[in-house]
Amino acid sequence: MEQTSALSSENCPEAGEEHWIGRYFGVRRRGSSLRTEILAGVATFLASMYIIVVNPAILSDAGIPFSAALSATVLISFLSSLAMGLYARNPILVAPGMGMNALFTYTLVQGAGLSWEVALGCVFWSGVLFATLAMFNVRKAIIEAIPASLRYAITCGIGLFITFIGFKNAGFIVGSDATLVTLGSFDASLLIFFIGMMATAIMVVMRFNGALILGIALTTLLAAPMGRLWGEEVMVQWSGLAAWPDFSAVMQVDIWGALKVAYLPFIFVMLFTNFFDALSCFMALSESADLKDEDGNPRNLKRSMTVDAFASMIAAPLGTSAAQTFIESGAGVAQGGRTGLVAVTIALLFLPFLFLSPLLSLVPGIATAPALVLVGLFMLAPVSKIDWSRADEAFPAFLAIILMPLTYSITLGIAFGFLSFVVIKLGTGRLHEIKPAMWVSAALSVVMLVTTH
């Protein structure tokens, strides 16, 4: 009865504090209640549960079985979000990240020709380095070394790359001998994608909770008649509701095979991308929800970064690309979530989907494509933070952004962004603006370009 009364108390922080759960998470101290924290967890889960379908869809392009990738996605999301809640006590979701899965599949596996097992090894070692950086708390030195314009540009470039993949998967953009790319044939499949994309965009504009997952569900329903009414490929086929989890990708990581000099740039790019995504997310959420300590820094930042790092490290043995903090955590924060109880709630909501791989395998590529396009929109937000009036900062950022989708490679965009920054600073006599970490980054970029091309 004590727990029931605590959970039912709306806007009553005192009731939450009386329960041992409230005391552990400091619910009352943060000005919240158990009910608010749980509802905030539900809000974040609805905003981000698209990853349960989208991540396996992308990883399956790398050769990982869809059901195995789904099990890995759910497991890492459960374990890492639980750790974020219980250890770091922050209201933040940790799950396989958009951008990291694209880097894994389309750059390492399809682009560089690594097997998915070796690519998982690269994920593992990037996690080891991330954990080392987190434990020694060297984030300040790294932040100051990499120019902000390049950090923002990398996020934007990955967003455009993911959007391009969404259009490609839907057949909206296809190859062309005359113009390299062009609009696909306007058939039933393309029409369904367009309707699904516009419906998803409308729901996003209207701020529907779970807009992306609702868009995926709607597009799947629209695609169900295909192959039955229009004589095309059958896209949606019922294969059951539930099944035991598929753990065939667990412990398939090739840790030692990833330790080649040629793969070091890939490990570095994964480390760089994950580290700054995590830090940017923590900074943004701490500002929007006043999740700060007495010094004005993001609350429990070192613990949160440690959780994120170890989540990346254990993602590889589970069979998925690196896990990272989700900016969608802002949905729960906007609902009043302030403590780790939000993250624990999210973790528990992920767990049932471990047994629903047959149901979720119904989702065809054109149904996840609208979500990929909209994710690109969200990731393009930092473009306004780049100082476009300074050409020495803007040009490297521009190269990083534009080359990712045009070369179909995240690492190439980052490499040319770093190289152009160093060359421009050298050519204009601004050697003092190049920090040691940028010299290392440029050197690794050269190694990557030489060894992979």
Side-chain angles (χ1 to χ4, degrees):
M1 285 297 292
E2 181 184 354
Q3 183 176 4
T4 303
S5 62
L7 292 174
S8 63
S9 56
E10 183 174 4
N11 299 322
C12 182
E14 291 78 13
E17 188 66 25
E18 291 173 1
H19 198 278
W20 67 269
I21 297 177
R23 289 195 298 273
Y24 179 81
F25 291 105
V27 172
R28 181 182 181 184
R29 188 169 69 255
R30 302 296 179 191
S32 187
S33 67
L34 291 181
R35 182 179 185 275
T36 298
E37 295 297 292
I38 292 171
L39 290 178
V42 173
T44 296
F45 177 74
L46 289 175
S48 57
M49 67 178 293
Y50 68 88
I51 200 66
I52 300 174
V53 177
V54 173
N55 192 56
I58 290 177
L59 294 184
S60 61
D61 287 343
I64 302 177
F66 181 92
S67 56
L70 191 149
S71 297
T73 300
V74 173
L75 271 180
I76 191 64
S77 303
F78 167 74
L79 293 172
S80 52
S81 297
L82 194 66
M84 182 64 75
L86 295 177
Y87 175 67
R89 302 189 193 184
N90 268 329
I92 295 173
L93 161 68
V94 184
M98 296 298 300
M100 298 303 294
N101 50 17
L103 176 64
F104 178 92
T105 296
Y106 302 109
T107 298
L108 271 68
V109 177
Q110 292 190 5
L114 279 66
S115 68
W116 62 265
E117 293 88 352
V118 171
L120 286 175
C122 292
V123 172
F124 174 81
W125 289 114
S126 71
V128 170
L129 293 175
F130 191 171
T132 303
L133 294 178
M135 285 189 294
F136 286 98
N137 212 19
V138 296
R139 61 184 181 275
K140 183 177 180 181
I142 295 176
I143 293 169
E144 292 175 349
I146 309 296
S149 58
L150 278 177
R151 298 202 302 268
Y152 299 141
I154 289 168
T155 300
C156 297
I158 291 175
L160 286 181
F161 184 72
I162 289 173
T163 293
F164 184 79
I165 291 169
F167 283 131
K168 172 182 171 290
N169 289 352
F172 190 83
I173 292 176
V174 296
S176 168
D177 292 335
T179 60
L180 294 182
V181 293
T182 188
L183 182 68
S185 301
F186 203 81
D187 53 13
S189 174
L190 201 62
L191 179 62
I192 287 170
F193 160 73
F194 188 76
I195 294 173
M197 179 178 66
M198 297 312 300
T200 306
I202 290 170
M203 288 186 283
V204 167
V205 171
M206 297 179 68
R207 300 183 182 275
F208 278 32
N209 277 335
L212 295 187
I213 197 66
L214 288 173
I216 291 173
L218 173 63
T219 312
T220 300
L221 290 174
L222 292 174
M226 289 194 61
R228 298 175 176 88
L229 297 182
W230 292 298
E232 299 186 16
E233 176 189 357
V234 176
M235 288 196 170
V236 180
Q237 300 188 62
W238 177 259
S239 58
L241 176 64
W244 289 109
D246 180 358
F247 295 131
S248 61
V250 173
M251 296 308 296
Q252 296 302 306
V253 54
D254 188 350
I255 293 176
W256 306 116
L259 285 180
K260 291 185 178 180
V261 174
Y263 301 156
L264 287 178
F266 298 130
I267 295 173
F268 169 76
V269 168
M270 284 187 166
L271 168 66
F272 174 86
T273 305
N274 205 3
F275 185 88
F276 282 107
D277 275 0
L279 196 58
S280 300
C281 181
F282 292 133
M283 298 289 284
L285 291 173
S286 67
E287 287 293 335
S288 63
D290 197 27
L291 301 175
K292 300 178 182 178
D293 58 23
E294 57 275 8
D295 298 321
N297 297 316
R299 192 178 74 203
N300 298 334
L301 179 59
K302 185 177 180 180
R303 286 193 173 198
S304 298
M305 294 287 281
T306 300
V307 170
D308 204 319
F310 279 97
S312 298
M313 194 162 56
I314 65 172
L318 290 176
T320 180
S321 54
Q324 59 186 156
T325 53
F326 262 51
I327 197 62
E328 285 86 348
S329 302
V333 168
Q335 296 289 322
R338 293 294 182 270
T339 76
L341 183 55
V342 175
V344 172
T345 302
I346 298 167
L348 295 175
L349 289 171
F350 266 98
L351 205 53
F353 289 89
L354 196 61
F355 303 94
L356 297 177
S357 60
L359 175 64
L360 298 178
S361 66
L362 287 171
V363 179
I366 62 167
T368 56
L372 294 178
V373 173
L374 268 296
V375 166
L377 166 67
F378 304 148
M379 295 182 71
L380 206 61
V383 73
S384 62
K385 298 179 181 179
I386 298 172
D387 187 356
W388 296 105
S389 64
R390 288 192 57 185
D392 60 321
E393 299 282 337
F395 182 72
F398 171 73
L399 276 187
I401 292 172
I402 199 65
L403 288 180
M404 287 187 199
L406 292 185
T407 63
Y408 210 72
S409 171
I410 294 170
T411 53
L412 284 177
I414 293 174
F416 281 107
F418 283 167
L419 280 174
S420 61
F421 179 86
V422 171
V423 170
I424 286 175
K425 295 298 183 182
L426 280 173
T428 55
R430 300 174 183 177
L431 191 65
H432 63 281
E433 295 183 21
I434 307 174
K435 301 293 176 63
M438 279 305 298
W439 286 111
V440 174
S441 301
L444 285 172
S445 298
V446 172
V447 172
M448 190 272 297
L449 291 172
V450 171
T451 56
T452 60
H453 293 78

